[in-house]
Structures are given as structure tokens and as C-alpha cells.
Amino acid sequence: MNIKDILEKNELTKEDLVALMKIDNPTDLDLLFKKAYEVKAKYVGKKVFYRGLIEVSNVCIKNCRYCGIRRDNHKVERFSMNKDEIMQAVKWIYDNNYGSIALQSGERQDSEFVDFIENIIKEIKKLSNGKLGITLSLGEQSYETYKRWFDAGAHRYLLRIESTNENIFKHIHPQDKKHEFQVRKRCLEFLRDIGYQVGTGVMIGMPNQTEEDLVNDILFYKDMKIDMIGMGPYILHKDTPLGQEWEDIVPTTEKRVELGLKMIAITRIFLKDVNIAATTALQGLDPLGREKGLLAGANILMPTATLQDYKGKYLLYDNKPGIDDSVERAKALLDEKVKSVGDEIVYGEWGDSPYFKRKNS
């Protein structure tokens, strides 16, 4: 069956998804991206929602082998924003009518951190009169911690699985009982059971990762009833074990960008009404990466609103774009990008996942 016939089917099999992932010519790629944009327009609209991203700390207890802020990278200048600094960024996001905020940090599980985040969530609700939506991306926590943060006012949570191939998962994480696939999966189940809109995602274009691996990642999203997807191409960080091990064998920049866009498009076609982000990592490898992501079916952007003093210290990978831009310039550039593809920026709305609403109606 050719690609055009597959794209006209109402229900896709795993074999269909693998065939789409293996597309290797520009004509079929164009068909794939056009179909994905049609599905996006039909099920979520030609709309883009902003999540103002605040990277509150780069202190982390984990030691993931790919990550620039891993515990054992002693070249990192560590920081933790205080309450006033975070709320300064929150006020800017609120004043600019983004509608939603995302708090991200290195992973901590101590009571001081848990209490601090709970207090910040309450302060965000207070400052915005309950109008700002709140997404958290703060790693693996206990059921009780997730519930406390949910009760305080957070309602979306992003916890990336990174790869559903357990051999790859084990390779990119140290085997020290702090980085276990089943623990990560159980955390996603905790989040879903509590009532969060649950987000996950993977790194795309790692050495030894196959097209079937990526398709299995998409099937995982479906099986886990995931509401929002944040995934992007793998980018090396020179001061990490994998950055050094994979330096000469990582797929080309063009290949990783292409795979990243395929993942967005195929996920959109297969899952239809979930939220999908065009991530900064796409732009990190391609100056037009986020625009291409929107045209491949993405509908979420997460512009950084981290204070300027800290932007350059939160580097999960090398050559992160936009770290020297002010929040005002970053917003202006992003507005231009969205308008250039013909999408509408929706201000003042949470932009909840249509899938989440549908499955809970």
C-alpha cells in the first residue's frame, strides 16, 4: 500500500505507522505533513496556545546520562529562583495574557522543595485571580506530592518517558535504582488517577533507535491515554556521558529534524485531538524548526520567561536557542513565527487538551 492510500484510511495499524515513519522521499513527506495539518485544523483548530515557561532551578538529584544539568556535571553554575523572582516572571506572563504558565526545574523530592512549589502554585492562583493555567514539569514525585500540588491549583503535568524501549531507557539513565522505567510509568499513572492532564514525550533520533521504537512510543501515548505530548530531537550536551559517547554516531541534524517532524505529524494523525508542542529542541537544530512543527500538526509553544540572569544556566543540551533574548523579544519573534504559518495565537485561554475534555465528558 502506498503512502497516499495509508493517509486516506480512517484507522491506522502499527504497520501503517511504521510505513509512515519510514518515508524517505520529499513527495511523501509533503503528503504526510499536509495530512497532519488538515487533522490539526479539523480537531484542534489552526490555533496556537502559549505556555509561559519558567525554569525555576537547575539543581537536580538525578544523573541522567544525556542531560546538561545532571547531578554530576560540576561545570554547571547552579541556581534556584526565589519566590519574588518567580512571581516577577509570573506577573509578566499574566500581564501579557499568555493564559498558561509552566514551571520546570531539575528534580528534587525533599519536603522543602515540595512545600515551596505548593506555595508558588497558590501564589500564582492568587496573583491571577485563578485565571492562569498551571503546568508542572518537576519530575518523579510521590502520589501524595502530586496530589498536594493538584489540590493547590496545578492541573497539567509533563513527565517525559524519553523512550519506551526499555533497553534504550536503561542506556540513557544510570542503573542506580533512581532511574527506573516502571517508576516513571507508575508516576504517569498517578498523575492520570489524580486528575491531571498528563503529558509525556520522548527524545527522537538517538543512535540505535529504530522507526519501530518511535512507533511504539506513539502507541504508548495512546495506551496510557496521554493528553499532551512534548517531544523533540535529541541534541548532544558536550559535558555528559552520552554527549561524548555519541558525538560521532548521532544521526545527522537533518535526519533528527525530519524524524522530529514525522513524530509530530504521525502522532497528530493517529491521536487527532491531543495537544502537541513544537519544542525548543526543534529550533535548536533548525532555525525554522518551530514553524515546521506547527505545519506538521503541533499546536502548543512554550516560550521561555525565565529571568535573564538564569536563562543561560538552564541548558539541558548545547546551543539552546534564544538564551540571550529578552522575554519581550522572544515574544515578538514567536508571534511572527506563528503568523508566518497562518495560525492564530489564542491569548487568555488555558488551551486544555480537547482529548482530555472528550474522555472526561
Side-chain angles (χ1 to χ4, degrees), residues 59-62 105-115 138-142 145-146 148-149 157 177-178 183 187:
V59 177
C60 192
I61 64 169
K62 293 294 185 71
S105 87
E107 192 166 317
R108 286 174 55 186
Q109 298 166 342
D110 56 281
S111 59
E112 181 184 359
F113 180 74
V114 172
D115 293 346
L138 305 172
E140 296 171 3
Q141 304 290 341
S142 68
T145 294
Y146 288 141
R148 279 179 60 185
W149 291 344
Y157 203 104
K177 299 188 186 290
K178 284 188 177 180
V183 171
C187 283

Side-chain angles (χ1 to χ4, degrees), residues 65 166-175 242 245-246:
R65 300 182 71 228
E166 293 192 46
N167 290 326
I168 293 177
F169 188 95
K170 287 177 180 177
H171 188 74
I172 64 178
H173 297 97
Q175 297 308 291
L242 289 184
E245 176 188 329
W246 284 350

Side-chain angles (χ1 to χ4, degrees), residues 32-253:
L32 175 70
F33 297 148
K34 284 183 176 176
K35 177 65 175 182
Y37 193 78
E38 287 173 13
V39 174
K40 165 182 159 176
K42 179 177 179 180
Y43 288 93
V44 300
K46 297 180 181 181
K47 299 175 179 179
V48 174
F49 296 92
Y50 287 173
R51 314 274 189 247
L53 177 63
I54 306 173
E55 295 145 330
V56 300
S57 172
N58 66 357
V59 177
C60 192
I61 64 169
K62 293 294 185 71
N63 215 16
C64 305
R65 300 182 71 228
Y66 54 85
C67 182
I69 64 169
R70 66 195 303 267
R71 185 192 66 218
D72 287 354
N73 183 5
H74 301 299
K75 296 181 180 181
V76 175
E77 184 181 347
R78 302 291 174 176
F79 75 90
S80 292
M81 292 170 66
N82 63 37
K83 177 181 170 182
D84 289 344
E85 290 172 325
I86 294 171
M87 294 312 296
Q88 179 185 334
V90 169
K91 187 175 186 305
W92 188 91
I93 291 166
Y94 181 57
D95 289 345
N96 282 270
N97 205 22
Y98 274 16
S100 274
I101 198 163
L103 300 179
Q104 185 177 66
S105 87
E107 192 166 317
R108 286 174 55 186
Q109 298 166 342
D110 56 281
S111 59
E112 181 184 359
F113 180 74
V114 172
D115 293 346
F116 179 74
I117 294 297
E118 182 179 28
N119 182 254
I120 290 294
I121 294 167
K122 290 176 179 177
E123 287 294 316
I124 293 170
K125 285 295 179 185
K126 183 178 176 183
L127 181 144
S128 69
N129 299 308
K131 292 180 181 176
L132 273 177
I134 302 176
T135 302
L136 303 178
S137 182
L138 305 172
E140 296 171 3
Q141 304 290 341
S142 68
Y143 183 98
E144 291 72 24
T145 294
Y146 288 141
K147 184 72 164 63
R148 279 179 60 185
W149 291 344
F150 184 81
D151 291 343
H155 61 106
R156 289 190 290 249
Y157 203 104
L158 176 63
L159 180 65
R160 298 202 343 173
I161 197 75
E162 302 301 4
S163 176
T164 59
N165 178 321
E166 293 192 46
N167 290 326
I168 293 177
F169 188 95
K170 287 177 180 177
H171 188 74
I172 64 178
H173 297 97
Q175 297 308 291
D176 58 2
K177 299 188 186 290
K178 284 188 177 180
H179 306 76
E180 295 187 22
F181 181 86
Q182 290 304 325
V183 171
R184 183 70 58 94
K185 183 171 180 282
R186 189 162 65 245
C187 283
L188 290 169
E189 292 166 347
F190 286 164
L191 292 163
R192 188 181 64 211
D193 292 346
I194 288 166
Y196 282 94
Q197 291 176 53
V198 182
T200 196
V202 296
M203 291 193 296
I204 301 160
M206 293 181 281
N208 303 315
Q209 184 183 48
T210 67
E211 286 94 347
E212 186 170 356
D213 288 330
L214 293 170
V215 166
N216 285 335
D217 293 337
I218 295 174
L219 294 172
F220 177 85
Y221 303 155
K222 181 180 181 182
D223 292 343
M224 291 289 291
K225 299 181 172 63
I226 297 299
D227 306 295
M228 53 190 195
I229 317 292
M231 54 188 172
Y234 169 66
I235 305 180
L236 298 166
H237 191 295
K238 62 183 180 301
D239 297 324
T240 64
L242 289 184
Q244 293 157 16
E245 176 188 329
W246 284 350
E247 184 177 10
D248 297 322
I249 60 170
V250 70
T252 65
T253 296

Side-chain angles (χ1 to χ4, degrees), residues 9 16-17 75 85 163 196 222 251 257 275 302 343 356:
K9 293 174 67 173
D16 293 332
L17 299 179
K75 296 181 180 181
E85 290 172 325
S163 176
Y196 282 94
K222 181 180 181 182
V257 170
N275 278 343
M302 299 179 70
D343 282 352
F356 179 80

Side-chain angles (χ1 to χ4, degrees), residues 50 92-99 290 301-305 311 322 325-339 345 347:
Y50 287 173
W92 188 91
I93 291 166
Y94 181 57
D95 289 345
N96 282 270
N97 205 22
Y98 274 16
R290 287 208 269 201
L301 292 172
M302 299 179 70
T304 304
K311 269 188 177 183
D325 294 338
S326 67
V327 284
E328 292 81 10
R329 175 166 169 74
K331 179 181 183 299
L333 289 172
L334 207 55
D335 287 354
E336 288 178 19
K337 289 176 184 291
V338 176
K339 289 170 184 172
I345 304 163
Y347 288 105

